[in-house]
Amino acid sequence: MAAKGLGQHFLLDLNLTRRVARQAGALAGQDVIEIGPGPGGLTRALLEGPCRRVIAVEKDPRCLPALAELAAAYPGRLEVVEGDALALPTWTLGSAPRQVVANLPYNVGTPLLVGWLEALAADPGCLAGLTLMFQKEVALRVVAAPGSEHYGRLAVLAQWLTLPRLCFDIAPSAFVPPPKVVSSVVHLVPRAAPLAPARLALLERVTAAAFGQRRKMLRQSLKGLGRDPAILLAAAGIDGTRRAETLSIEEFCALARGLEAA
Ligand code: SAM
């Protein structure tokens, strides 16, 4: 019986799980970190490929017997960690090069992604790639361009540190039980270095203030930063009558650098 609180919507069609696994690209010689393997549909597709091994983190102990069977079928290549992925430094599991591949539980997809992005900000080499299934609305927020409806804090952080690509959608009917929403797979390739210099904590402060009042002009929405917004905006060469959703990632970085200098 699927547990709703754990976002349990399983993909059991091996053709589909193989298609998700293929989005990760060549995995030969790499460790794969899978979050929420459930009964192991995606895990099996990953193990069929040439990855070094799969380290799968699952919170629901009821999934462990099915995963133990899979581990026996692929000796030495599947390690199951029972636990809460939100409470673990999953980007340090196994050894580099490592990629994350996961059909994420909807309720913790965004905090997990933010955790991986923060880990990449500290160590760009910790993950070689991420292939993640989210509810479509979250996927659109990851890949959104400036000026678009879904552009916000998540797009800035994700695109500052990675190159994300929307791969394909999966209809609710493909899952057991079917969720209420469409899902989308996103593949993110970490940049060798962030798109522009900035300190993560300051970039997060600036985007939180700017998008916290996204309908307001920046000269108003940036007031909560504790610095005169007019000075910050002038130093970054940004017109104070603009709104958050029109700013490029480089412009947010310029504001974050200004906050540091102030
Ligand atoms: N990978 C499987 C598939 O594609 O069929 C299952 C995906 S299902 C959307 C999400 C899985 O994540 C469930 O097995 C659930 O028990 C597990 N899960 C939920 N919250 C978790 C957490 N915080 N840490 C680890 N696993 C979690």
Side-chain angles (χ1 to χ4, degrees):
M1 176 73 181
K4 224 174 167 197
L6 289 172
Q8 291 188 338
H9 301 285
F10 300 123
L11 269 187
L12 305 174
D13 175 350
L14 199 51
N15 286 322
L16 213 42
T17 56
R18 284 182 183 134
R19 188 170 175 215
V20 176
R22 274 201 304 276
Q23 305 309 311
L27 289 171
Q30 303 197 33
D31 281 358
V32 174
I33 314 303
E34 187 191 356
I35 308 304
L42 178 58
T43 322
R44 183 181 291 277
L46 289 163
L47 288 165
E48 281 180 355
C51 69
R52 190 163 49 205
R53 63 191 160 142
V54 176
I55 299 158
V57 181
E58 175 57 61
K59 195 172 176 183
D60 186 349
R62 295 175 308 164
C63 299
L64 301 183
L67 295 168
E69 274 182 34
L70 205 49
Y74 292 92
R77 290 188 60 222
L78 173 59
E79 183 186 327
V80 180
V81 177
E82 185 189 348
D84 180 351
L86 279 173
L88 292 169
T90 49
W91 55 93
T92 65
L93 293 173
S95 47
R98 65 172 81 73
Q99 300 217 15
V100 180
V101 182
N103 172 7
L104 293 174
Y106 290 147
N107 51 342
V108 291
T110 306
L112 282 170
L113 175 59
V114 170
W116 291 318
L117 293 170
E118 289 176 349
L120 280 169
D123 174 11
C126 71
L127 294 172
L130 303 99
T131 304
L132 306 172
M133 192 188 303
F134 299 102
Q135 63 191 92
K136 184 169 184 170
E137 188 265 335
V138 174
L140 292 176
R141 289 203 281 124
V142 173
V143 302
S148 68
E149 176 196 351
H150 292 97
Y151 186 60
R153 296 169 66 181
L154 194 57
V156 172
L157 188 59
Q159 295 171 39
W160 179 51
L161 296 162
T162 75
L163 291 159
R165 170 175 64 89
L166 196 59
C167 304
F168 56 88
D169 293 346
I170 301 187
S173 57
F175 296 86
V176 181
K180 288 200 175 70
V181 294
V182 172
S183 301
S184 304
V185 178
V186 180
H187 180 63
L188 303 101
V189 179
R191 295 178 187 273
L195 183 60
R199 270 215 293 141
L200 171 70
L202 296 177
L203 185 59
E204 287 187 321
R205 270 184 65 199
V206 169
T207 55
F211 287 109
Q213 303 182 65
R214 63 187 290 146
R215 302 274 161 250
K216 296 216 167 119
M217 293 179 192
L218 289 163
R219 65 184 180 202
Q220 178 67 29
S221 60
L222 296 187
K223 274 188 177 159
L225 290 176
R227 304 269 190 269
D228 182 347
I231 295 173
L232 271 180
L233 287 158
I238 298 167
D239 183 337
T241 64
R242 289 173 63 190
R243 291 178 170 78
E245 65 205 34
T246 71
L247 257 57
S248 67
I249 294 164
E250 290 90 338
E251 287 175 317
F252 277 113
C253 290
L255 286 171
R257 292 195 300 273
L259 204 51
E260 180 149 44

